[in-house]
Amino acid sequence: MSAALKYQGTRLLAASSRLSILQKAAKPSLLRGYHATSARLSVAHSGSQTVANAEKYTLNTYARPTLVLSHGKGSYLYDTDGKEYLDFTAGIAVVALGHNHPDITAAVVDQASKLVHCSNLYHNEWAPQLARNIVESTIAAYPQGTQGIYAQAADGRSPARVFFSNSGTEANEGALKFARKYGKHVAELGTLGKGTSEALRGDPNLKCGIVSFTGGFHGRSMGALSVTANPKYQKPFTPLIPGVQTAKYNSTSEIGAFVDERTCGVIVEPIQGEGGIHPAQVDFLRALRRRCDQVGALLIYDEIQCGLGRSGKLWAHQLYPEDCSPDILTMAKPLANGIPIGAILVSDKVAELIKVGEHGTTFGGNPLACRVGCTVLDHISKPEFLEHVQNAGQVLEQELQQALAPFVGSTVVELRGTGLLRGIQFASDPTQIVDLARDRGLMLVGAGGNTVRLVPPLNTSIADIKRGAAIIADCVKQFAAERKA
């Protein structure tokens, strides 16, 4: 049997299975409009037609190979020609539980048969539950925490609260907005020393500065883009929002000069993803926490890529001492395993300032995304799940160190990362590595600074971790040989 026929058979079985699940989960009346026609059970278009439609009708913002992905299972993806790929991208660190996870599928189907959206004019069953799960699992995973989002609230209130958005960039936009509100509050209190307090009380808008760092990536909407210090992303869209300064990542000596009494917020990734997999140093985060306290600014951790189990801890900042804890934590990518969602976790002192009508969203907190989020968090927050991530990360590191040792110092500059957030920095542009790997059935994604990023699903088996490492080693060997020739 040809690969194409095998693929079509797999496609038909998968569609039949989906219909069976829907029939079990939904009321009969809901199925009247669902007709499992042959057209719906087959590929909508050939791969070439899909690419042609994309080139003709979609905005040209992505550089993509011509393959067309059709479905996935676990840590594997399949294209419309039936070719199989081991996925070390996870949709750029999104699909934490792998593709077509049965619990995710069941949650989506069941909730879609009940209620997908009702707006924030009303409560739904799942948004408050997910908010509670985020707060309680975060605190339980880091019992030593006493500062920021872990600080005890008065009157028995929750130490932290959640706002739901639809994406990471929206979560960061909300965090920056909250920091502006907090800055005005501190200015109006007049607690920063006589001269400074008098100036800020006279014009609370003066305490509006935001500090971000080199190599950071926080999104592409205007506020998030303004704190993403990469000319490639920023230059076409200048001027950006005012009041933003960029300091050097991991440079403790610069913090005092950039973070001052007019700063309202500091945003940083504990482990940079897009920038090339760079972990923050303990002294750097500790100094940021201390300086923010001194000048009345909020410390914002963007854990959209490095959070939710990717580092081997529930949150990457939980790898650090408790005096590095944030006031605001943003999350998105893996929270609903590919269903769009984002969230902002804020400390009590921030939550108390935000009033009705000061922020909002149409789709954020919808029951479908939050139902799936509860399912994902239930898996990721389990100690045994995080232990697997740690073990898989160690195996990946060991396999790569051994296989790439002959190339370190020449073709390979450095291996970095923790858990299943890993990067291999090359001495030259590694685009060919990504292409060679794809030809061999392994999906990889690039990052800044000539780095190849390795972000497989968090439940990838040890056998597949080793297989992926072997393919990478084979690609590097060919890449190095062609550079010598």
Side-chain angles (χ1 to χ4, degrees):
M1 185 183 293
S2 70
L5 286 174
K6 286 182 180 178
Y7 160 70
Q8 291 289 353
T10 301
R11 181 78 170 172
L12 288 167
L13 286 172
S16 176
S17 176
R18 286 195 295 273
L19 179 58
S20 176
I21 292 171
L22 184 60
Q23 287 171 329
K24 291 176 182 178
K27 296 177 181 178
S29 61
L30 295 175
L31 296 174
R32 290 171 187 158
Y34 186 95
H35 302 289
T37 64
S38 58
R40 290 189 180 186
L41 295 179
S42 63
V43 181
H45 298 286
S46 67
S48 59
Q49 182 62 56
T50 297
V51 173
N53 285 343
E55 292 176 348
K56 184 174 181 179
Y57 297 110
T58 64
L59 200 61
N60 182 31
T61 57
Y62 304 105
R64 292 180 279 213
T66 56
L67 65 89
V68 177
L69 297 175
S70 64
H71 65 291
K73 181 67 176 175
S75 297
Y76 286 85
L77 287 165
Y78 301 85
D79 68 20
T80 51
D81 292 325
K83 183 174 179 179
E84 180 183 80
Y85 304 88
L86 177 57
D87 185 9
F88 266 35
T89 71
I92 314 182
V94 169
V95 191
L97 301 185
H99 303 280
N100 195 19
H101 191 285
D103 292 351
I104 300 300
T105 301
V108 169
V109 170
D110 184 59
Q111 191 58 42
S113 73
K114 295 175 179 176
L115 183 66
V116 172
H117 176 77
C118 62
S119 87
N120 286 297
L121 294 172
Y122 313 99
H123 292 292
N124 70 69
E125 293 179 277
W126 291 101
Q129 185 61 55
L130 179 56
R132 177 180 178 176
N133 293 355
I134 289 171
V135 171
E136 292 186 350
S137 63
T138 297
I139 294 169
Y142 199 67
Q144 66 269 42
T146 59
Q147 300 185 38
I149 57 175
Y150 303 97
Q152 290 297 313
D155 303 323
R157 296 193 304 268
S158 169
R161 298 194 187 190
V162 176
F163 178 89
F164 290 112
S165 65
N166 308 287
S167 66
T169 192
E170 289 177 58
N172 284 335
E173 290 281 353
L176 298 176
K177 189 174 171 182
F178 296 163
R180 283 282 177 87
K181 175 77 185 287
Y182 184 80
K184 286 188 176 184
H185 169 71
V186 172
E188 290 165 352
L189 286 178
T191 57
L192 295 177
K194 185 176 180 182
T196 300
S197 292
E198 288 176 355
L200 293 178
R201 270 197 304 234
D203 185 1
N205 287 328
L206 292 175
K207 190 168 177 60
C208 65
I210 297 167
V211 176
S212 61
F213 297 91
T214 56
F217 182 87
H218 303 289
R220 296 177 187 263
S221 53
M222 287 304 291
L225 180 63
S226 298
V227 294
T228 296
N230 187 327
K232 179 177 73 172
Y233 300 134
Q234 289 186 336
K235 188 175 180 181
F237 306 104
T238 55
L240 303 173
I241 67 169
V244 175
Q245 295 187 87
T246 303
K248 187 178 179 181
Y249 190 70
N250 273 331
S251 176
T252 303
S253 62
E254 291 191 4
I255 291 173
F258 282 88
V259 183
D260 60 24
E261 287 79 2
R262 295 195 178 194
T263 303
C264 68
V266 174
I267 186 167
V268 65
E269 296 166 90
I271 304 174
Q272 292 185 337
E274 178 76 18
I277 319 299
H278 295 282
Q281 296 169 2
V282 173
D283 288 347
F284 175 65
L285 294 186
R286 180 178 283 142
L288 282 179
R289 172 74 275 169
R290 184 168 56 246
R291 185 60 175 164
C292 284
D293 289 338
Q294 290 170 352
V295 303
L298 295 179
L299 180 57
I300 304 165
Y301 282 172
D302 175 344
E303 293 219 29
I304 289 162
Q305 185 160 169
C306 65
L308 287 166
R310 180 60 57 184
S311 70
K313 295 288 187 180
L314 184 60
W315 301 108
H317 75 263
Q318 293 176 343
L319 293 165
Y320 296 83
E322 61 88 18
D323 58 351
C324 299
S325 300
D327 299 301
I328 297 180
L329 179 68
T330 60
M331 67 196 79
K333 284 181 178 290
L335 184 54
N337 213 61
I339 302 295
I341 191 172
I344 314 166
L345 181 64
V346 303
S347 64
D348 179 66
K349 71 179 183 181
V350 179
E352 286 299 293
L353 293 178
I354 307 303
K355 307 303 180 185
V356 172
E358 290 186 339
H359 200 46
T361 171
T362 297
F363 296 107
N366 69 75
L368 177 64
C370 290
R371 168 80 180 272
V372 177
C374 286
T375 302
V376 171
L377 192 58
D378 182 59
H379 281 271
I380 288 177
S381 61
K382 284 183 168 62
E384 57 269 28
F385 186 95
L386 294 171
E387 184 178 354
H388 169 77
V389 176
Q390 294 166 18
N391 292 339
Q394 290 171 359
V395 169
L396 181 56
E397 181 178 23
Q398 291 165 1
E399 295 286 315
L400 290 174
Q401 283 180 339
Q402 181 176 353
L404 301 183
F407 307 101
V408 174
S410 54
T411 303
V412 175
V413 175
E414 186 180 25
L415 282 69
R416 293 188 295 268
T418 187
L420 288 176
L421 179 56
R422 301 280 172 171
I424 307 170
Q425 183 179 352
F426 290 86
S428 58
D429 180 6
T431 300
Q432 187 184 352
I433 297 284
V434 176
D435 294 340
L436 289 170
R438 187 171 61 249
D439 291 342
R440 288 164 167 78
L442 176 68
M443 294 293 197
L444 300 175
V445 60
N450 290 334
T451 300
V452 170
R453 196 174 355 173
L454 314 178
V455 282
L458 301 183
N459 56 357
T460 300
S461 70
I462 298 299
D464 282 336
I465 291 291
K466 291 181 176 180
R467 179 177 177 232
I471 295 173
I472 292 169
D474 189 42
C475 294
V476 173
K477 183 178 180 180
Q478 180 179 338
F479 180 72
E482 291 178 358
R483 286 296 179 276
K484 279 187 176 181

